[in-house]
Amino acid sequence: MEKRPQFGNRVLTNPENVFQHNAWDNVEWDEEQEAEAESKVAKNSATKYEDDADQFWDKFYLKHQNRFYKDRQWLFTEFPELAPEGVPSESTPQRVLTEGAVSCPSDPTPFTLTSPASAASEDSFGDFPGKTSKTRFFEVGCGVGNTVFPVLKTNNDPNLFVYCCDLSANAIQLVHENPEYAGGRCHGFVADVSSPSCQLPFPENSLDLIILIFVLSAVHPEKMQETISGLAKYLKPGGKILFRDYGRYDLAQLRFKDGQCLQDNFYVRGEGTRVYFFTQEELREMFVKAGLKEEQNITDRRLQVNRQRQLKMYRIWIQCKYSKPLESF
Ligand SMILES: C[S@@+](CC[C@H](N)C(=O)[O-])C[C@H]1O[C@@H](n2cnc3c(N)ncnc32)[C@H](O)[C@@H]1O
């Protein structure tokens, strides 16, 4: 039997002989092979969560379908603007702010009217869904519609049109398949609002409300300011952004394991989706920089208990309302 040469002695000189032995020593890599490896490693690093964010959310919705997020009990009590004519009688009573919560004294509970969208700018935009509707809401990162459908059901304003978008095509497909989508009062589409090339299907200055519920936390922190400033342009003067998301040191943040932190207060979950945990000041800075006026910026601190397992869960959410000033337009 042929004696196996020592390591370092079997060199592949003719590529055609590659399968004549199980291994070769001192193998040279060509440039193409080197570049391929480099790009693969780059993809394996944290940037893949940014580059492929849509795919991670797509996989999330493929797996969970419409079973993960639930319609929220608090939607109309916290955001009466979503159904200004009144909320269903079974809705929960007004929330009392917990200790540490800071409420802006000017928080207006009644819905303040926006100024009408400029007809000139809408005409120059051409035809678009919801063009003939006077009242327009837009939910960003709508998932499978846990806000959009309750709003369409509760708000009977015949002039209301609701746009909703999500990064995930699977989520939007589930929105389209919902029987309540067929009413012609809604337009759901795929969009990445954090992308500078994001094109929205309605003109600037045309929206009464923009709804951001647990979505900004999924955007890379370096893109948050641009995202908010970009969205603010679409509000009518007097229009509002309604925001609710994770607060700093919420239980969900404290539960992350070592290695899941991508950068300060920004984490990746096991399935590749990401989440940021905000302070009130960070949000105030971003919304104000986008030219908006503070109506509300509160911390909602809650102790939830599992009585059976004797567990205490300290939850922290931040809720904000920022409006586009009437006077600057
Ligand atoms: C935590 S989920 C919340 C879903 C929904 N707002 C709710 O509360 O049920 C975040 C959602 O934002 C979407 N999303 C993340 N980044 C986005 C982006 N840049 N543009 C649009 N949607 C995005 C995700 O696909 C996901 O559906």
Side-chain angles (χ1 to χ4, degrees), residues 15 23 46 57 67 77 129 148 166 172 222 229 279 314:
W57 279 110
R67 296 180 298 266
T77 45
V148 168
D166 202 281
I172 291 299
E222 280 167 21
S229 299
T279 64
Y314 291 92

Side-chain angles (χ1 to χ4, degrees), residues 5-11 25-26:
Q6 281 184 304
F7 283 150
N9 291 340
R10 185 182 287 147
V11 178
D25 296 309
N26 299 324

Side-chain angles (χ1 to χ4, degrees), residues 48-318:
K48 80 172 172 184
Y49 298 118
E50 177 62 13
D51 298 343
D52 301 340
D54 56 338
Q55 291 169 39
F56 286 112
W57 279 110
D58 261 347
K59 279 189 201 143
F60 174 88
Y61 287 110
L62 193 65
K63 179 174 169 197
H64 297 289
Q65 298 285 303
N66 57 6
R67 296 180 298 266
F68 194 87
Y69 298 113
K70 305 275 177 247
D71 292 355
R72 273 79 187 224
Q73 295 294 322
W74 46 260
L75 194 62
F76 297 101
T77 45
E78 297 305 319
F79 298 134
E81 295 89 341
L82 294 170
E85 293 301 319
V87 294
S89 53
E90 68 267 24
S91 67
T92 48
Q94 282 291 327
R95 176 176 52 83
V96 177
L97 291 181
T98 47
E99 199 184 342
V102 184
S103 183
C104 176
S106 65
D107 176 16
T109 308
F111 186 51
T112 41
L113 283 176
T114 54
S115 65
S118 134
S121 85
E122 297 205 350
D123 283 346
S124 65
F125 193 82
D127 224 10
F128 63 95
K131 184 171 181 168
T132 55
S133 302
K134 282 204 198 102
T135 309
R136 304 189 193 111
F137 297 173
F138 174 36
E139 190 190 10
V140 177
C142 62
V144 298
N146 293 98
T147 296
V148 168
F149 293 117
V151 167
L152 287 170
K153 205 168 166 185
T154 308
N155 187 327
N156 296 317
D157 177 357
N159 287 311
L160 174 68
F161 195 86
V162 182
Y163 305 92
C164 60
C165 81
D166 202 281
L167 184 60
S168 159
N170 285 342
I172 291 299
Q173 190 179 332
L174 289 161
V175 167
H176 289 174
E177 286 168 5
N178 189 313
E180 291 174 57
Y181 184 75
R185 298 168 76 209
C186 183
H187 176 64
F189 56 96
V190 177
D192 175 359
V193 293
S194 71
S195 160
S197 59
C198 176
Q199 303 235 329
L200 297 174
F202 38 76
E204 292 183 5
N205 298 306
S206 67
L207 301 173
D208 295 84
L209 292 178
I210 296 179
I211 305 154
L212 298 174
I213 295 183
F214 296 101
V215 59
L216 194 66
S217 54
V219 168
H220 194 287
E222 280 167 21
K223 293 185 171 179
M224 285 177 186
Q225 179 65 61
E226 212 180 324
T227 301
I228 293 183
S229 299
L231 288 171
K233 290 187 197 149
Y234 289 89
L235 284 176
K236 291 178 192 169
K240 262 189 222 177
I241 290 190
L242 306 180
F243 173 97
R244 190 169 169 98
D245 217 319
Y246 295 103
R248 183 75 43 89
Y249 305 142
D250 176 54
L251 173 77
Q253 178 173 14
L254 304 183
R255 273 185 178 163
F256 276 108
K257 301 200 168 60
D258 291 352
Q260 287 184 285
C261 186
L262 297 171
Q263 64 184 71
D264 285 354
N265 304 299
F266 191 46
Y267 299 79
V268 61
R269 301 186 183 94
E271 81 263 0
T273 61
R274 297 162 305 164
V275 57
Y276 187 83
F277 295 85
F278 295 98
T279 64
Q280 286 177 265
E281 292 68 32
E282 284 169 345
L283 289 162
R284 176 171 296 125
E285 201 181 315
M286 285 191 278
F287 284 115
V288 168
K289 207 166 167 187
L292 303 179
K293 183 170 152 273
E294 186 167 303
E295 307 279 355
Q296 184 187 64
N297 182 332
I298 58 169
T299 296
D300 182 354
R301 291 175 191 275
R302 198 168 312 175
L303 172 59
Q304 295 177 331
V305 288
N306 182 324
R307 286 186 285 172
Q308 204 173 20
R309 295 170 61 200
Q310 300 267 295
L311 282 180
K312 289 194 269 184
M313 294 167 284
Y314 291 92
R315 303 309 313 259
I316 303 178
W317 298 285
I318 299 191

